[in-house]
């Protein structure tokens, strides 16, 4: 189907026809004043377009750094895990870590140290799942052999009851033993 | 990685590294394509401020959606599409009377060749003014095809229409622009 511009000249030709034949001026174009005039205008347009292609417009000098600042801020914000529900609410991994450390602290003789929280590969917006590595310091005299199970139980319970995410994996590391 | 090495890396490599969170790789992509995207945006939206904002949004969106890009080598086409969309959205949100806020007196191009013939500058200025008389979609079609040399297929996808419709819009844009350029014959 021929493309038309809907700009029809008094001679019956469409401007687009003149454009397509701009370099092969035929008998009609040479003799028709309407076509000749449009052809001249199109040649001016072609020249001006070539100038536009060559134009040396550079973006602002700080555009790259502005883009990269936005990207870095976005990466920081992405340290979050979805909360159960419509997937719109999210919680930072740091906030989750604080809750889990507090839960572990509730066990006699146990002090939570580092807590690293990552979203598990199988996590989805409707069923958020996390993996946690928790390092603890224990007070030798106070801690009992049940303490580790108790830490595990409380941390698991806090993740599901206080935050609403499923804890698929908890690596518990005793990183220090305190006297007293 | 030295600057020279980074400059030599192809898009697909940089895209794959960026997807793994390598921000230096992504910065190379931004450096490589900020120029053409900025020029495209400026020609479609007509004001430097809106063009800057659009390009910044495009590169941030692209970073977030790298995971959705199936063909790492198709990054540039995808950028053209995203930038076109972003610019058309900016124009849709603009109030009708806001055209007066465009950089009327500020030519989009800082003239870097002052010795150029005055007439050529005048023609280019006339073309820039004439572009503002087109509809946003017509303008996007014309700029993508005639200034940035993109394919009909790509333009159709960017505008969300058919190739035939792109050709029609281009023809109408060309006829309208030629009419405005007539005094320079």
């Amino acid at each position: 189907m021929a493309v038309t511009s809907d700009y029809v000249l008094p001679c019956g030709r469409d401007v687009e026809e003149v454009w397509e034949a701009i370099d092969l001026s035929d008998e009609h174009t040479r003799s028709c004043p309407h076509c000749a005039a449009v052809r001249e205008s199109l040649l001016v347009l072609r020249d001006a377009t070539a100038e536009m292609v060559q134009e040396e417009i550079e973006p602002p000098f700080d555009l790259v750094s502005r883009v990269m600042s936005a990207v870095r801020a976005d990466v920081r914000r992405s340290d979050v895990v979805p909360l159960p529900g419509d997937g719109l609410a999210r919680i930072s991994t740091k906030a989750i870590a604080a809750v889990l450390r507090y839960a572990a602290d509730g066990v006699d003789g146990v002090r939570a140290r580092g807590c690293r929280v990552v979203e598990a590969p199988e996590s989805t917006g409707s069923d958020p799942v996390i993996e946690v590595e928790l390092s603890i310091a224990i007070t030798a005299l106070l801690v009992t052999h049940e303490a580790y199970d108790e830490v595990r139980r409380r941390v698991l319970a806090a993740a599901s009851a206080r935050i609403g995410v499923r804890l698929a994996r908890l690596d518990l590391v005793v990183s220090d033993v305190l006297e007293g | 990685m030295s600057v020279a090495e980074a400059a030599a890396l192809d898009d697909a490599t940089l895209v794959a590294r960026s997807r793994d969170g390598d921000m230096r790789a992504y910065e190379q992509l931004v450096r490589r394509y900020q120029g053409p995207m900025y020029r495209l945006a400026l020609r479609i939206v007509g004001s430097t401020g809106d063009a800057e904002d659009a390009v910044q949004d495009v590169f941030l969106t692209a970073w977030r959606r790298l995971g959705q890009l199936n063909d790492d080598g198709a990054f540039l086409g995808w950028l053209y599409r995203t930038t076109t969309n972003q610019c058309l959205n900016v124009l849709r949100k603009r109030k009708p009377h806001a055209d007066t806020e465009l950089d009327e007196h500020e030519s989009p191009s800082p003239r870097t060749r002052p010795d150029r013939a005055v007439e050529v500058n005048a023609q280019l200025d006339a073309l820039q003014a004439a572009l503002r008389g087109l509809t946003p979609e017509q303008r996007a079609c014309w700029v993508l095809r005639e200034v940035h040399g993109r394919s009909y297929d790509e333009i159709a996808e960017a505008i969300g229409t058919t190739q035939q419709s792109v050709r029609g819009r281009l023809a109408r844009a060309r006829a309208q622009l030629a009419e405005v350029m007539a005094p320079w014959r």
Side-chain angles (χ1 to χ4, degrees), chain B residues 32-59:
Chain B
R32 189 171 291 176
Y33 295 123
Q34 59 155 347
M37 293 312 122
Y38 177 71
R39 287 186 279 275
L40 173 67
L42 188 54
R43 284 163 188 148
I44 297 178
V45 300
S47 88
T48 50
D50 281 343
E52 284 171 41
D53 290 349
V55 172
Q56 193 174 328
D57 285 351
V58 163
F59 279 110

Side-chain angles (χ1 to χ4, degrees), chain A residues 1-7 15-16 19 37-38 40-42 44-45 47-49 51-60 63-64 66-68 70-72 74-75 77, chain B residues 23 27 34-35 38-39 43 52 55-56 59-60 63-64 108-109 111-112 116 120 124 127-128 131 142 146-147 164 167-168 171-172 174-179 182 184-185:
Chain A
M1 193 164 82
V3 176
T4 61
S5 65
D6 299 332
Y7 283 72
V15 172
E16 189 67 3
W19 170 255
V38 164
E40 286 298 312
S41 299
L42 287 167
V44 172
L45 173 61
D47 285 351
T49 306
E51 286 298 324
M52 189 173 268
V53 172
Q54 295 297 318
E55 247 187 334
E56 295 168 11
I57 312 172
E58 291 303 326
L63 187 58
V64 173
R66 274 162 47 197
V67 168
M68 293 314 294
V71 166
R72 272 188 288 275
D74 197 60
V75 169
R77 271 197 302 275
Chain B
M23 279 189 268
E27 185 168 341
Q34 59 155 347
Y38 177 71
R39 287 186 279 275
R43 284 163 188 148
E52 284 171 41
V55 172
Q56 193 174 328
F59 279 110
L60 181 58
W63 163 263
R64 287 176 180 162
S109 62
R111 297 280 174 241
T112 49
R116 259 208 287 178
V120 173
L124 193 48
L127 176 55
Q128 271 152 2
L131 277 174
W142 187 86
E146 301 291 319
V147 185
Q164 187 66 20
R167 287 173 193 271
R172 281 188 291 281
R174 189 151 36 229
Q176 204 171 320
L177 293 175
E179 204 170 11
W184 274 266
R185 288 202 296 248

Side-chain angles (χ1 to χ4, degrees), chain B:
Chain B
M1 182 167 59
S2 75
V3 171
E5 274 177 283
L9 290 176
D10 61 296
D11 282 10
T13 304
L14 289 173
V15 168
R17 289 185 184 183
S18 302
R19 188 182 291 118
D20 282 349
D22 182 344
M23 279 189 268
R24 289 180 61 185
Y26 193 64
E27 185 168 341
Q28 291 299 320
L29 286 169
V30 176
R31 274 186 203 289
R32 189 171 291 176
Y33 295 123
Q34 59 155 347
M37 293 312 122
Y38 177 71
R39 287 186 279 275
L40 173 67
L42 188 54
R43 284 163 188 148
I44 297 178
V45 300
S47 88
T48 50
D50 281 343
E52 284 171 41
D53 290 349
V55 172
Q56 193 174 328
D57 285 351
V58 163
F59 279 110
L60 181 58
T61 305
W63 163 263
R64 287 176 180 162
R65 294 191 187 158
L66 279 173
Q68 297 169 21
L69 185 65
N70 294 324
D71 174 6
D72 288 356
F75 184 68
L76 181 57
W78 190 52
L79 268 189
Y80 267 108
R81 216 156 52 232
T82 313
T83 304
T84 304
N85 271 316
Q86 181 72 23
C87 290
L88 291 177
N89 282 337
V90 166
L91 292 175
R92 276 180 209 122
K93 281 181 202 150
R94 215 182 249 170
K95 292 187 184 82
H97 67 263
D99 270 356
T100 52
E101 289 164 20
L102 295 185
D103 306 340
E104 295 257 359
H105 303 290
E106 176 193 347
S107 161
S109 62
R111 297 280 174 241
T112 49
R113 287 174 288 175
D115 56 336
R116 259 208 287 178
V118 173
E119 191 179 338
V120 173
N121 278 346
Q123 278 186 14
L124 193 48
D125 289 344
L127 176 55
Q128 271 152 2
L131 277 174
R132 290 180 198 157
L134 303 178
T135 67
E137 283 80 10
Q138 275 180 345
R139 186 160 61 241
C141 285
W142 187 86
V143 169
L144 282 166
R145 178 69 201 162
E146 301 291 319
V147 185
H148 292 261
R150 309 315 295 177
S151 71
Y152 293 111
D153 195 24
E154 221 174 8
I155 300 169
E157 216 180 314
I159 310 276
T161 184
T162 62
Q163 279 199 37
Q164 187 66 20
S165 153
V166 168
R167 287 173 193 271
R169 279 175 199 188
L170 263 174
R172 281 188 291 281
R174 189 151 36 229
Q176 204 171 320
L177 293 175
E179 204 170 11
V180 181
M181 299 305 286
W184 274 266
R185 288 202 296 248

